[in-house]
Amino acid sequence: MEVKRQVLIFGAVISCVECSSLPSKEDILDSLLGTPAGLVTVLVVLISLLVGILQMSQSKPKVALNSEEWQEFPLIAKKHLSHDTRLFRFALPSPDHILGLPIGQHISFKFVDDRGKLVQRSYTPVTSDIERGYVEFVIKVYFKNVHPKFPEGGKMSQHLENLAIGDKMLFKGPKGTVTYKGNGKFDIVRNRVSQPYKVKKLGMIAGGTGITPMLQIIRAVLRDPNDKTEMYLIFANQTEDDILLREELEGLPSDRLHLWYTLDRPPKDWSYSSGFIDAEMCRKHLPPAEDGTMVFVCGPPPMIKYACEPAFSEIGLDDSQWHAF
């Protein structure tokens, strides 16, 4: 006499002859699809799987950047911030796309000039992956016949200045040697090897447009209420009118960001420093050279080589405690 057992599969009861193995796939499908309850069960499972797949695809944003290929991004807005500084907004492929740029890294721009020469420069956006559908850059335009040492001006910045709304720019990235992971944790590439760092106090020296990678990190730190990294910024410019993003910087919490300026040509009532970066300025306005301190620098090469490096050596920062973008 055959003994039957009932097996519960996906909520449906299946009868089978007692044996050493479970029902075959064919038996299970026949039993599930052969009854209304079984058919409903199959539909519920399929719908649940589809909903799960859809949620997974929606939770992972689409990334615009490709580190292997140059891509075109259209200019959708341009704003004059000063006589020679502009905010450029470029559209990403869709309103749901993020740029896909790690905090601390930058993007390469490329175009071919009238002589057929390739022009390539790197810029750091002032937006992050919090924003979707667009990316913004604050860029200083170096016009012709302004600086006697550079009568032709800046090729890339003047090209950007001449872009019309709808014109496209070639981007490629991410690029860079610094990645901020949050809560004072950085990955820094030195001699082609990525090394992890954990800092409590972060010093920054920015020269002119070198403020943009610093602002990117500052914004990331301040966005996270659990990030207790203490930040110090010395911002060097030629004149007071050259100070980029001043309103935003001075609106940030002073207990989190210790802000200081120095100008080559200060006005009479200037209350900050004047002249080049030096050791005394660094002692007063950067964190002390101790464990848990890191200093980042971004600006013209002469500023880094002839001002920052000697100052760092004098105040006791070793090579592992500072890094130039």
Side-chain angles (χ1 to χ4, degrees):
M1 181 176 180
E2 292 181 338
V3 179
K4 292 186 177 181
R5 283 186 175 178
Q6 291 182 327
V7 181
L8 188 66
I9 305 290
F10 291 129
V13 177
I14 299 174
S15 297
C16 66
V17 178
E18 182 176 23
C19 57
S20 59
S21 62
L22 289 173
S24 67
K25 291 185 290 184
E26 291 76 11
D27 291 336
I28 293 173
L29 288 173
D30 288 344
S31 299
L32 285 174
L33 300 177
T35 64
L39 186 58
V40 169
T41 299
V42 171
L43 289 173
V44 169
V45 171
L46 290 175
I47 291 171
S48 298
L49 288 172
L50 289 173
V51 169
I53 293 170
L54 182 62
Q55 288 177 339
M56 288 178 64
S57 64
Q58 290 178 339
S59 63
K60 187 175 181 180
K62 300 175 183 178
V63 174
L65 282 178
N66 186 328
S67 61
E68 301 298 327
E69 297 179 5
W70 291 95
Q71 299 177 91
E72 290 185 330
F73 294 81
L75 180 69
I76 57 174
K78 180 166 61 174
K79 181 179 180 181
H80 286 226
L81 301 182
S82 73
H83 68 286
D84 62 357
T85 304
R86 311 287 183 258
L87 185 147
F88 298 94
R89 175 180 285 194
F90 293 89
L92 302 183
S94 82
D96 296 323
H97 272 77
I98 63 171
L99 183 63
L101 185 74
I103 299 298
Q105 301 212 356
H106 54 265
I107 299 169
S108 289
F109 286 30
K110 182 176 76 169
F111 80 99
V112 177
D113 68 11
D114 295 336
R115 300 173 183 176
K117 291 185 177 181
L118 181 67
V119 180
Q120 187 172 320
R121 299 287 187 273
S122 293
Y123 294 101
T124 302
V126 293
T127 49
S128 69
D129 286 348
I130 298 298
E131 291 83 13
R132 296 195 181 202
Y134 67 91
V135 57
E136 292 180 341
F137 300 85
V138 171
I139 295 173
K140 184 173 181 177
V141 181
Y142 294 92
F143 293 102
K144 290 182 179 180
N145 303 317
V146 172
H147 197 295
K149 290 185 178 180
F150 307 101
E152 295 299 315
K155 289 186 177 181
M156 179 62 75
S157 63
Q158 290 181 101
H159 175 75
L160 290 166
E161 172 72 355
N162 293 326
L163 289 179
I165 301 301
D167 287 347
K168 296 179 180 179
M169 194 71 208
L170 285 168
F171 290 175
K172 186 178 179 181
K175 295 179 65 179
T177 57
V178 174
T179 303
Y180 187 54
K181 314 292 260 185
N183 292 310
K185 296 178 181 178
F186 289 89
D187 286 343
I188 302 176
V189 177
R190 298 180 188 271
N191 299 319
R192 299 185 179 181
V193 178
S194 179
Q195 303 175 35
Y197 290 83
K198 178 72 169 73
V199 306
K200 296 178 181 178
K201 296 182 179 182
L202 177 63
M204 293 170 277
I205 297 178
T209 54
I211 189 61
T212 52
M214 307 305 182
L215 183 61
Q216 190 188 53
I217 294 172
I218 290 167
R219 285 176 170 176
V221 171
L222 296 179
R223 266 198 308 267
D224 184 356
N226 297 316
D227 194 328
K228 304 304 180 184
T229 307
E230 191 173 355
M231 297 174 290
Y232 301 72
L233 171 63
I234 299 176
F235 192 8
N237 288 277
Q238 293 187 22
T239 70
E240 189 172 10
D241 290 339
D242 292 324
I243 300 175
L244 302 179
L245 304 162
R246 184 175 184 178
E247 185 176 350
E248 177 177 353
L249 289 169
E250 294 181 359
L252 298 175
S254 59
D255 61 328
R256 301 295 309 283
L257 174 67
H258 307 284
L259 176 62
W260 194 255
Y261 299 107
T262 185
L263 297 178
D264 291 347
R265 301 190 297 276
K268 289 182 180 179
D269 57 349
W270 184 243
S271 57
Y272 294 93
S273 296
S274 61
F276 295 140
I277 304 290
D278 59 21
E280 186 62 23
M281 195 184 303
C282 291
R283 283 194 189 95
K284 289 182 177 179
H285 304 294
L286 291 181
E290 59 188 19
D291 289 344
T293 288
M294 175 64 70
V295 176
F296 288 140
V297 186
C298 187
M303 182 193 82
I304 298 172
K305 183 174 181 60
Y306 299 111
C308 295
E309 287 191 30
F312 293 161
S313 178
E314 190 171 336
I315 67 174
L317 278 175
D318 64 42
D319 290 345
S320 67
Q321 291 180 297
W322 73 274
H323 184 79
F325 281 90

